[in-house]
Amino acid sequence: KVTKADIISTVEFNHTGELLATGDKGGRVVIFQREQESKNQPHRRGEYNVYSTFQSHEPEFDYLKSLEIEEKINKIRWLPQQNAAYFLLSTNDKTVKLWKVSERDKRPEGYNLKDEDGRLRDPSTITTLRVPVLRPMDLMVEATPRRVFANAHTYHINSISVNSDYETYMSADDLRINLWNFEITNQSFNIVDIKPANMEELTEVITAAEFHPHHCNTFVYSSSKGTIRLCDMRTSALCDRHSKFFEEPEDPSNRSFFSEIISSISDVKFSHTGRYIMTRDYLTVKVWDLNMENRPIETYQVHDYLRSKLCSLYENDCIFDKFECVWNGSDSVIMTGSYNNFFRMFDRNTKRDVTLEASRENSKPRAILKPRKVCVGGKRRKDEISVDSLDFSKKILHTAWHPSENIIAVAATNNLYIFQDKVN
């Protein structure tokens, strides 16, 4: 049985792809490191092994509101590497922490005032001055919290994003987005506030936010109404007036009781070039050109066969699942998850798409994933799966793509799968 604490809640490669971090509902962060090539087997690179594990967040209790604050890690974001140490941001619902992960393989010996066990020596016995020396020791990876950014969010944090100036980052909750400087923990600037004066007039919430990859003044945020706003911090300190507003007019023939729920955007991601944004809603992934606001340039059906199942998905709360989406390194393929441990890939150039499955059965090392097909009604071919036999408790919400290679990480409940392109 899976314990709730072990469920993976976020997956993120660092900027080189050498490291891969996962966060879970128990507040832990596990970092995997990619093995270096060995001389005798130059092609056998790419195994990721556990590098460091640490407890990032603990459960807390808000006594003013009588609320438990979960330790679950909502997002992890890496900072680009500047020196030998690695830095990453992790957040739960309320508090963002900056962690430093560094290696130690030497230790100083020969202190003057203490002995080797760390006990203070009796000053009267110290007669000579020693020069401490560094002795080699087994490699140790240490994770230390360098900054804690707390007390700035009334609502739950759903996104953090590092700015391309690497001096600031933002954190977004349901109604507000805050801008932080990495050096300053006790103050942040509120850059978006959509909270109405009267909460009964609340019609939408912020669902995700991200900085532009190259322009440090630009960011986007998505809403539960299926809209995306592009904001420019140069225009005013409070970005309540967006520069661009992306929304697709609703097709009246598709209108149903569930239209509003399934149009809510669960994830928004800039392409690496910064020219496009991708959004994920319950049934589709859309690609928008920053220069065209009235409709997406591409729409991909993730699991259109669920359209007839919305009633039961509403009853079991699955309709509120928040699926993420990712680009590959060259922005030519996009990936997102589905149910039954399926995940989908869409090739933007060939318009081909594939459904793959992350499960124990096909995760033997070097096994080749075979495409899966779901059939709706009528006759079922032997390799197809009926829509009625899909397991909705097995869902792929979190995936990540290596920044430059065809290596992907897929979180299926409490298991992390890493797949890569076949090397001859």
Side-chain angles (χ1 to χ4, degrees):
K1 193 184 171 313
V2 181
T3 61
K4 185 177 167 245
D6 294 333
I7 296 173
I8 298 171
S9 50
T10 183
V11 191
E12 193 76 15
F13 280 100
N14 76 339
H15 292 253
T16 61
E18 291 302 300
L19 301 181
L20 171 67
T22 65
D24 65 25
K25 290 194 172 179
R28 289 178 303 257
V29 172
V30 180
I31 300 175
F32 299 86
Q33 184 182 45
R34 194 175 181 193
E35 266 184 18
Q36 296 303 315
E37 266 183 36
S38 58
K39 298 253 187 318
N40 46 7
Q41 291 174 304
H43 294 301
R44 278 216 49 198
R45 211 177 156 236
E47 304 261 319
Y48 282 81
N49 295 317
V50 174
Y51 176 65
S52 172
T53 303
F54 58 93
Q55 188 73 29
S56 173
H57 287 69
E58 305 279 354
E60 290 173 65
F61 194 79
D62 181 338
Y63 291 98
L64 284 175
K65 299 199 179 111
S66 296
L67 275 184
E68 254 183 275
I69 301 168
E70 282 189 293
E71 63 272 41
K72 171 188 168 218
I73 309 291
N74 292 343
K75 285 283 186 292
I76 290 172
R77 289 289 178 263
W78 291 89
L79 275 68
Q81 195 177 353
Q82 311 278 355
N83 52 28
Y86 302 100
F87 287 88
L88 61 88
L89 286 173
S90 68
T91 185
N92 67 349
D93 283 342
K94 296 286 178 196
T95 305
V96 184
K97 294 185 181 182
L98 175 68
W99 288 89
K100 176 185 181 181
V101 181
S102 51
E103 295 183 358
R104 275 230 317 255
D105 59 357
K106 296 183 176 61
R107 67 160 178 261
E109 281 183 8
Y111 289 103
N112 286 290
L113 301 177
K114 13 182 218 191
D115 59 25
E116 299 315 322
D117 301 326
R119 287 188 299 267
L120 282 173
R121 291 164 64 191
D122 175 8
S124 59
T125 62
I126 303 173
T127 54
T128 56
L129 202 56
R130 293 198 276 189
V131 179
V133 287
L134 286 173
R135 297 234 185 276
M137 59 178 245
D138 287 342
L139 178 70
M140 218 171 82
V141 180
E142 291 181 308
T144 45
R146 296 307 299 268
R147 305 266 187 285
V148 176
F149 305 89
N151 307 326
H153 285 277
T154 312
Y155 307 98
H156 293 341
I157 298 173
N158 55 46
S159 311
I160 46 177
S161 179
V162 177
N163 197 344
S164 58
D165 63 10
Y166 306 141
E167 291 176 15
T168 55
Y169 76 91
M170 70 176 166
S171 55
D173 67 25
D174 297 337
L175 298 179
R176 299 191 180 104
I177 301 177
N178 292 331
L179 181 69
W180 300 83
N181 185 302
F182 278 111
E183 301 301 318
I184 301 166
T185 56
N186 58 357
Q187 183 187 25
S188 64
F189 291 98
N190 178 228
I191 52 174
V192 172
D193 187 347
I194 65 165
K195 185 182 177 191
N198 176 6
M199 278 297 266
E200 277 160 24
E201 291 164 13
L202 182 69
T203 57
E204 63 179 333
V205 294
I206 297 167
T207 55
E210 192 180 53
F211 269 118
H212 190 284
H214 316 300
H215 303 313
C216 61
N217 51 285
T218 310
F219 66 93
V220 289
Y221 69 91
S222 58
S223 91
S224 55
K225 273 195 160 169
T227 62
I228 310 114
R229 289 172 176 84
L230 181 84
C231 303
D232 188 338
M233 293 194 289
R234 292 173 303 190
T235 48
S236 69
L238 194 62
C239 301
D240 284 356
R241 292 197 305 276
H242 47 265
S243 324
K244 293 194 175 186
F245 181 76
F246 300 84
E247 183 177 29
E248 185 169 31
E250 190 184 31
D251 176 2
S253 64
N254 268 342
R255 177 103 193 116
S256 77
F257 169 74
F258 304 107
S259 295
E260 283 193 10
I261 303 174
I262 64 172
S263 66
S264 175
I265 293 174
S266 52
D267 197 16
V268 60
K269 291 269 181 18
F270 272 103
S271 63
H272 294 80
T273 59
R275 167 82 192 265
Y276 304 103
I277 31 183
M278 161 169 59
T279 59
R280 169 74 210 255
D281 57 42
Y282 192 64
L283 294 177
T284 66
V285 173
K286 294 173 180 161
V287 175
W288 305 75
D289 187 320
L290 281 196
N291 301 323
M292 190 164 96
E293 298 168 59
N294 59 343
R295 63 174 196 274
I297 54 167
E298 296 156 31
T299 299
Y300 300 97
Q301 300 296 335
V302 177
H303 36 217
D304 204 44
Y305 46 78
L306 295 184
R307 229 176 253 284
S308 59
K309 291 257 173 289
L310 294 176
C311 232
S312 53
L313 289 162
Y314 178 76
E315 281 161 13
N316 65 15
D317 273 355
C318 284
I319 202 166
F320 302 107
D321 285 334
K322 293 179 168 43
F323 291 96
E324 296 167 9
C325 52
V326 288
W327 302 87
N328 71 341
S330 61
D331 297 334
S332 59
V333 183
I334 52 192
M335 169 172 63
T336 192
S338 179
Y339 293 104
N340 210 63
N341 279 351
F342 289 168
F343 58 98
R344 304 272 281 136
M345 286 188 178
F346 303 96
D347 187 312
R348 299 179 57 213
N349 301 325
T350 64
K351 297 297 180 234
R352 298 227 305 265
D353 65 282
V354 64
T355 302
L356 300 168
E357 182 182 1
S359 69
R360 282 279 167 87
E361 290 71 68
N362 53 20
S363 67
K364 297 182 182 63
R366 315 260 168 293
I368 291 173
L369 291 181
K370 53 176 196 290
R372 312 303 302 251
K373 280 211 163 43
V374 176
C375 72
V376 187
K379 284 193 62 131
R380 183 167 75 87
R381 296 206 184 95
K382 77 166 177 26
D383 56 344
E384 290 184 333
I385 296 143
S386 154
V387 68
D388 295 314
S389 59
L390 295 176
D391 186 342
F392 291 109
S393 66
K394 295 184 171 155
K395 46 193 97 169
I396 306 265
L397 302 175
H398 316 286
T399 59
W401 203 307
H402 187 289
S404 54
E405 295 177 47
N406 278 334
I407 299 175
I408 58 169
V410 176
T413 320
N414 60 332
N415 294 311
L416 179 73
Y417 295 94
I418 296 173
F419 302 112
Q420 60 178 335
D421 247 3
K422 199 164 83 230
V423 194
N424 325 333

